[in-house]
Structure formats: C-alpha cells, structure tokens
Coordinates of all heavy atoms in Angstrom, one line a residue:
E165 N -48.7 -65.3 -9.0 CA -49.8 -66.2 -8.5 C -49.5 -66.7 -7.2 O -48.4 -67.0 -6.9 CB -50.0 -67.3 -9.5 CG -51.2 -68.1 -9.3 CD -51.5 -69.2 -10.3 OE1 -50.6 -69.3 -11.2 OE2 -52.4 -70.0 -10.2
N166 N -50.6 -66.8 -6.3 CA -50.4 -67.3 -5.0 C -49.6 -66.5 -4.0 O -49.0 -66.9 -3.1 CB -49.9 -68.8 -5.0 CG -50.9 -69.8 -5.6 OD1 -52.1 -69.6 -5.4 ND2 -50.4 -70.7 -6.3
I167 N -49.5 -65.2 -4.3 CA -48.9 -64.2 -3.5 C -50.0 -63.2 -2.9 O -50.7 -62.6 -3.7 CB -47.8 -63.4 -4.1 CG1 -46.6 -64.4 -4.6 CG2 -47.2 -62.3 -3.3 CD1 -45.8 -65.0 -3.4
D168 N -50.0 -63.1 -1.6 CA -50.9 -62.1 -1.0 C -50.0 -61.1 -0.4 O -49.3 -61.4 0.6 CB -51.8 -62.8 0.0 CG -52.8 -61.8 0.7 OD1 -52.9 -60.7 0.3 OD2 -53.3 -62.2 1.8
C169 N -50.0 -59.8 -0.9 CA -49.0 -58.9 -0.4 C -49.7 -57.6 0.0 O -50.8 -57.3 -0.4 CB -47.9 -58.6 -1.4 SG -48.5 -58.0 -3.0
E170 N -49.0 -56.9 0.9 CA -49.6 -55.6 1.4 C -48.4 -54.6 1.6 O -47.2 -55.1 1.8 CB -50.2 -55.8 2.8 CG -51.0 -54.6 3.3 CD -51.8 -54.9 4.6 OE1 -51.8 -56.1 5.0 OE2 -52.3 -53.9 5.2
L171 N -48.7 -53.4 1.5 CA -47.7 -52.3 1.6 C -48.0 -51.5 2.9 O -49.2 -51.0 3.0 CB -47.7 -51.4 0.4 CG -46.7 -50.2 0.3 CD1 -45.3 -50.8 0.3 CD2 -46.9 -49.4 -1.0
F172 N -47.0 -51.3 3.8 CA -47.2 -50.6 5.0 C -46.1 -49.5 5.1 O -44.9 -49.9 5.1 CB -47.2 -51.4 6.2 CG -47.5 -50.8 7.5 CD1 -48.7 -50.3 7.7 CD2 -46.5 -50.7 8.5 CE1 -49.0 -49.6 9.0 CE2 -46.8 -50.1 9.7 CZ -48.0 -49.5 9.9
T173 N -46.4 -48.2 5.1 CA -45.5 -47.1 5.0 C -45.6 -46.1 6.1 O -46.7 -45.9 6.6 CB -45.5 -46.4 3.6 OG1 -46.7 -45.7 3.5 CG2 -45.4 -47.4 2.4
W174 N -44.5 -45.4 6.3 CA -44.7 -44.3 7.3 C -44.9 -42.9 6.8 O -45.0 -41.9 7.5 CB -43.4 -44.3 8.2 CG -42.0 -43.9 7.5 CD1 -41.7 -42.7 6.9 CD2 -40.9 -44.8 7.2 NE1 -40.5 -42.7 6.4 CE2 -40.0 -44.0 6.5 CE3 -40.6 -46.1 7.5 CZ2 -38.7 -44.5 6.1 CZ3 -39.4 -46.6 7.1 CH2 -38.5 -45.8 6.5
H175 N -45.1 -42.8 5.5 CA -45.2 -41.5 4.8 C -46.3 -40.6 5.5 O -46.2 -39.4 5.6 CB -45.5 -41.7 3.4 CG -45.7 -40.5 2.6 ND1 -44.6 -39.5 2.5 CD2 -46.7 -39.9 1.9 CE1 -45.0 -38.5 1.7 NE2 -46.3 -38.7 1.4
N176 N -47.5 -41.3 5.7 CA -48.6 -40.5 6.3 C -48.5 -40.3 7.8 O -49.5 -39.7 8.3 CB -49.9 -41.3 5.9 CG -50.1 -41.2 4.4 OD1 -49.9 -40.2 3.7 ND2 -50.7 -42.3 3.9
Y177 N -47.5 -40.8 8.5 CA -47.4 -40.6 9.9 C -46.8 -39.3 10.2 O -46.6 -38.9 11.4 CB -46.5 -41.7 10.5 CG -47.3 -43.0 10.7 CD1 -47.7 -43.8 9.7 CD2 -47.7 -43.4 12.0 CE1 -48.3 -45.0 9.8 CE2 -48.4 -44.6 12.1 CZ -48.7 -45.4 11.1 OH -49.4 -46.6 11.3
F178 N -46.3 -38.5 9.2 CA -45.7 -37.2 9.4 C -46.5 -36.1 8.7 O -46.1 -35.8 7.5 CB -44.3 -37.3 8.9 CG -43.4 -38.3 9.7 CD1 -43.3 -39.6 9.2 CD2 -42.8 -38.0 10.9 CE1 -42.5 -40.6 9.9 CE2 -42.0 -38.9 11.6 CZ -42.0 -40.3 11.1
P179 N -47.5 -35.6 9.3 CA -48.3 -34.5 8.7 C -47.4 -33.3 8.2 O -46.4 -33.0 8.9 CB -49.2 -34.0 9.8 CG -49.3 -35.1 10.7 CD -47.9 -35.8 10.7
K180 N -47.7 -32.7 7.1 CA -46.8 -31.6 6.6 C -47.4 -30.2 6.9 O -46.7 -29.3 6.4 CB -46.6 -31.8 5.1 CG -45.8 -33.1 4.7 CD -45.6 -33.3 3.3 CE -44.6 -34.4 3.0 NZ -44.9 -35.7 3.6
K181 N -48.5 -30.1 7.5 CA -49.1 -28.8 7.6 C -48.5 -28.1 8.9 O -48.4 -28.7 10.0 CB -50.6 -28.9 7.7 CG -51.3 -29.3 6.5 CD -52.8 -29.4 6.6 CE -53.4 -29.8 5.4 NZ -54.9 -29.8 5.4
G182 N -48.1 -26.8 8.7 CA -47.7 -26.0 9.9 C -46.2 -25.9 10.1 O -45.5 -26.9 9.8
F183 N -45.8 -24.8 10.5 CA -44.4 -24.5 10.7 C -43.8 -25.4 11.9 O -42.8 -26.0 11.7 CB -44.1 -23.1 11.0 CG -42.7 -22.7 11.4 CD1 -41.7 -22.7 10.3 CD2 -42.2 -22.5 12.6 CE1 -40.4 -22.4 10.5 CE2 -40.9 -22.2 12.9 CZ -40.0 -22.1 11.9
A184 N -44.6 -25.4 13.0 CA -44.1 -26.2 14.1 C -44.0 -27.7 13.8 O -43.1 -28.4 14.2 CB -45.1 -26.0 15.3
R185 N -45.1 -28.2 13.0 CA -45.1 -29.6 12.6 C -43.9 -29.9 11.7 O -43.3 -31.0 11.8 CB -46.4 -29.8 11.8 CG -46.6 -31.2 11.4 CD -46.8 -32.2 12.5 NE -45.7 -33.1 12.6 CZ -45.8 -34.1 13.4 NH1 -46.8 -34.3 14.2 NH2 -44.8 -34.9 13.5
A186 N -43.5 -28.9 10.8 CA -42.3 -29.1 10.0 C -41.1 -29.3 10.8 O -40.2 -30.1 10.5 CB -42.2 -28.0 9.0
I187 N -40.9 -28.6 11.9 CA -39.8 -28.7 12.8 C -39.8 -30.0 13.5 O -38.7 -30.7 13.5 CB -39.8 -27.6 13.8 CG1 -39.5 -26.2 13.1 CG2 -38.6 -27.8 14.8 CD1 -39.7 -25.1 14.0
V188 N -40.8 -30.5 13.9 CA -41.0 -31.8 14.6 C -40.6 -32.9 13.6 O -39.9 -33.8 13.9 CB -42.4 -32.0 15.1 CG1 -42.5 -33.5 15.7 CG2 -42.6 -31.0 16.3
N189 N -41.2 -32.8 12.4 CA -40.9 -33.9 11.4 C -39.4 -33.9 11.1 O -38.8 -34.9 11.0 CB -41.7 -33.5 10.0 CG -43.1 -33.7 10.2 OD1 -43.6 -34.3 11.1 ND2 -43.8 -33.3 9.1
R190 N -38.8 -32.7 10.9 CA -37.3 -32.7 10.6 C -36.5 -33.4 11.7 O -35.6 -34.2 11.5 CB -36.9 -31.2 10.4 CG -35.5 -31.1 10.0 CD -35.1 -29.7 9.7 NE -33.8 -29.5 9.2 CZ -33.2 -28.4 9.0 NH1 -33.9 -27.2 9.1 NH2 -31.9 -28.4 8.6
F191 N -36.9 -33.1 12.9 CA -36.2 -33.7 14.1 C -36.4 -35.2 14.0 O -35.4 -36.0 14.2 CB -36.6 -33.1 15.4 CG -36.1 -33.8 16.6 CD1 -34.8 -33.5 17.1 CD2 -36.8 -34.8 17.3 CE1 -34.3 -34.2 18.1 CE2 -36.3 -35.4 18.4 CZ -35.0 -35.2 18.8
E192 N -37.6 -35.7 13.9 CA -37.9 -37.1 14.0 C -37.2 -37.8 12.8 O -36.7 -39.0 13.0 CB -39.4 -37.3 14.0 CG -40.1 -36.9 15.3 CD -41.5 -37.5 15.4 OE1 -41.6 -38.7 15.2 OE2 -42.4 -36.7 15.6
L193 N -37.4 -37.3 11.6 CA -36.8 -38.0 10.4 C -35.3 -38.0 10.5 O -34.6 -38.9 9.9 CB -37.2 -37.2 9.2 CG -38.8 -37.3 8.9 CD1 -39.1 -36.5 7.7 CD2 -39.2 -38.8 8.6
K194 N -34.7 -37.1 11.2 CA -33.2 -37.1 11.3 C -32.7 -37.9 12.3 O -31.7 -38.7 12.1 CB -32.7 -35.7 11.5 CG -31.2 -35.5 11.5 CD -30.8 -34.1 11.6 CE -29.3 -33.9 11.5 NZ -28.8 -32.5 11.7
T195 N -33.4 -38.0 13.5 CA -32.9 -38.7 14.6 C -33.5 -40.1 14.8 O -33.0 -40.9 15.6 CB -33.1 -37.9 15.9 OG1 -34.5 -37.8 16.1 CG2 -32.4 -36.5 15.8
S196 N -34.6 -40.3 14.2 CA -35.4 -41.6 14.3 C -35.9 -41.8 15.7 O -36.0 -42.8 16.2 CB -34.5 -42.9 14.0 OG -34.1 -42.7 12.6
I197 N -36.3 -40.6 16.3 CA -36.8 -40.6 17.7 C -38.0 -39.7 17.6 O -38.0 -38.6 17.1 CB -35.8 -40.0 18.7 CG1 -34.6 -40.9 18.8 CG2 -36.4 -39.9 20.1 CD1 -33.5 -40.4 19.7
G198 N -39.1 -40.0 18.3 CA -40.3 -39.2 18.4 C -41.6 -40.0 18.5 O -41.6 -41.2 18.3
I199 N -42.6 -39.2 18.8 CA -43.9 -39.9 19.1 C -44.5 -40.5 17.8 O -45.2 -41.6 17.9 CB -44.9 -38.8 19.6 CG1 -46.2 -39.5 20.1 CG2 -45.2 -37.7 18.6 CD1 -47.1 -38.6 20.9
D200 N -44.2 -39.9 16.6 CA -44.8 -40.4 15.3 C -44.1 -41.7 15.0 O -44.7 -42.7 14.5 CB -44.7 -39.4 14.2 CG -45.4 -38.2 14.5 OD1 -46.6 -38.2 14.7 OD2 -44.8 -37.0 14.6
I201 N -42.8 -41.8 15.2 CA -42.0 -43.0 15.0 C -42.5 -44.1 15.9 O -42.6 -45.3 15.5 CB -40.5 -42.6 15.1 CG1 -40.1 -41.7 13.9 CG2 -39.6 -43.9 15.1 CD1 -38.7 -41.3 14.0
S202 N -42.7 -43.8 17.2 CA -43.2 -44.8 18.1 C -44.5 -45.3 17.7 O -44.8 -46.5 17.8 CB -43.3 -44.2 19.5 OG -42.0 -43.8 20.0
R203 N -45.4 -44.4 17.2 CA -46.7 -44.8 16.8 C -46.6 -45.8 15.6 O -47.3 -46.7 15.4 CB -47.5 -43.6 16.4 CG -49.0 -43.8 16.0 CD -49.8 -42.5 16.2 NE -49.2 -41.5 15.4 CZ -49.7 -41.2 14.1 NH1 -50.7 -42.0 13.6 NH2 -49.2 -40.2 13.4
F204 N -45.7 -45.5 14.6 CA -45.6 -46.2 13.5 C -45.1 -47.6 13.9 O -45.5 -48.7 13.3 CB -44.6 -45.6 12.5 CG -44.1 -46.5 11.3 CD1 -44.9 -46.7 10.3 CD2 -42.9 -47.0 11.3 CE1 -44.6 -47.6 9.3 CE2 -42.4 -47.8 10.3 CZ -43.3 -48.1 9.3
S205 N -44.0 -47.6 14.8 CA -43.5 -48.9 15.2 C -44.5 -49.8 15.9 O -44.6 -51.0 15.7 CB -42.4 -48.7 16.1 OG -41.2 -48.1 15.4
R206 N -45.3 -49.1 16.7 CA -46.4 -49.9 17.4 C -47.4 -50.4 16.4 O -47.8 -51.7 16.6 CB -47.1 -48.9 18.4 CG -48.1 -49.6 19.3 CD -48.8 -48.7 20.2 NE -49.6 -47.7 19.5 CZ -49.3 -46.3 19.5 NH1 -48.2 -45.9 20.1 NH2 -50.0 -45.4 18.8
D207 N -47.8 -49.6 15.5 CA -48.9 -50.1 14.5 C -48.3 -51.3 13.7 O -49.0 -52.2 13.3 CB -49.3 -49.0 13.6 CG -50.1 -47.9 14.4 OD1 -50.5 -48.2 15.5 OD2 -50.4 -46.8 13.8
F208 N -47.0 -51.1 13.4 CA -46.3 -52.2 12.6 C -46.4 -53.5 13.3 O -46.8 -54.5 12.7 CB -44.9 -51.8 12.2 CG -44.1 -52.9 11.8 CD1 -44.2 -53.5 10.5 CD2 -43.0 -53.4 12.6 CE1 -43.5 -54.6 10.1 CE2 -42.2 -54.5 12.1 CZ -42.5 -55.0 10.9
F209 N -46.0 -53.5 14.6 CA -46.1 -54.7 15.3 C -47.4 -55.3 15.5 O -47.6 -56.5 15.3 CB -45.5 -54.4 16.8 CG -45.5 -55.7 17.7 CD1 -44.6 -56.7 17.4 CD2 -46.5 -55.8 18.6 CE1 -44.8 -57.8 18.3 CE2 -46.7 -56.9 19.4 CZ -45.7 -57.9 19.2
N210 N -48.4 -54.4 15.8 CA -49.8 -54.9 15.9 C -50.3 -55.5 14.6 O -51.0 -56.5 14.6 CB -50.7 -53.8 16.3 CG -50.4 -53.4 17.7 OD1 -49.9 -54.1 18.5 ND2 -50.8 -52.1 18.1
K211 N -49.9 -55.0 13.5 CA -50.3 -55.5 12.2 C -49.7 -56.9 12.0 O -50.3 -57.8 11.6 CB -49.9 -54.6 11.0 CG -50.1 -55.1 9.6 CD -49.7 -54.2 8.5 CE -50.8 -53.0 8.4 NZ -52.1 -53.6 7.8

C-alpha cells in the first residue's frame, strides 16, 4: 500500500532481427558500449 512503482528495462532496446543486428547486439552487450546503450541511458535519465 502507498507504493507507486514502475519497471524500466533495456530488453527492447536490442532488436533481435537480422544477422548484422545480432553482431551489433553481441558487441554492445559484451562491452557496454554502443548507440543502443547510449539511447537507453539517455531515456533513463529523462524519465
């Protein structure tokens, strides 16, 4: 009671379609560097 909560995740920031996309995802998820990670971080701050 009296808790207002929300869930914010990065799962949908990494599309799974396509071979090239899979390579990009693998690189970003391993190194924590990339355009999708920057987008997630930016959206998190704005929220």
Side-chain angles (χ1 to χ4, degrees):
E165 189 177 359
N166 291 326
I167 295 294
D168 180 12
C169 56
E170 188 176 352
L171 183 64
F172 185 64
T173 67
W174 65 68
H175 181 63
N176 293 325
Y177 280 74
F178 299 92
K180 292 181 171 56
K181 293 183 179 180
F183 178 73
R185 181 68 246 188
I187 294 175
V188 172
N189 287 353
R190 184 175 180 181
F191 172 81
E192 290 195 51
L193 292 172
K194 185 175 182 179
T195 64
S196 301
I197 298 172
I199 189 170
D200 299 299
I201 289 172
S202 296
R203 186 162 56 95
F204 170 75
S205 296
R206 183 182 65 248
D207 290 351
F208 164 69
F209 175 76
N210 290 336
K211 175 177 281 291

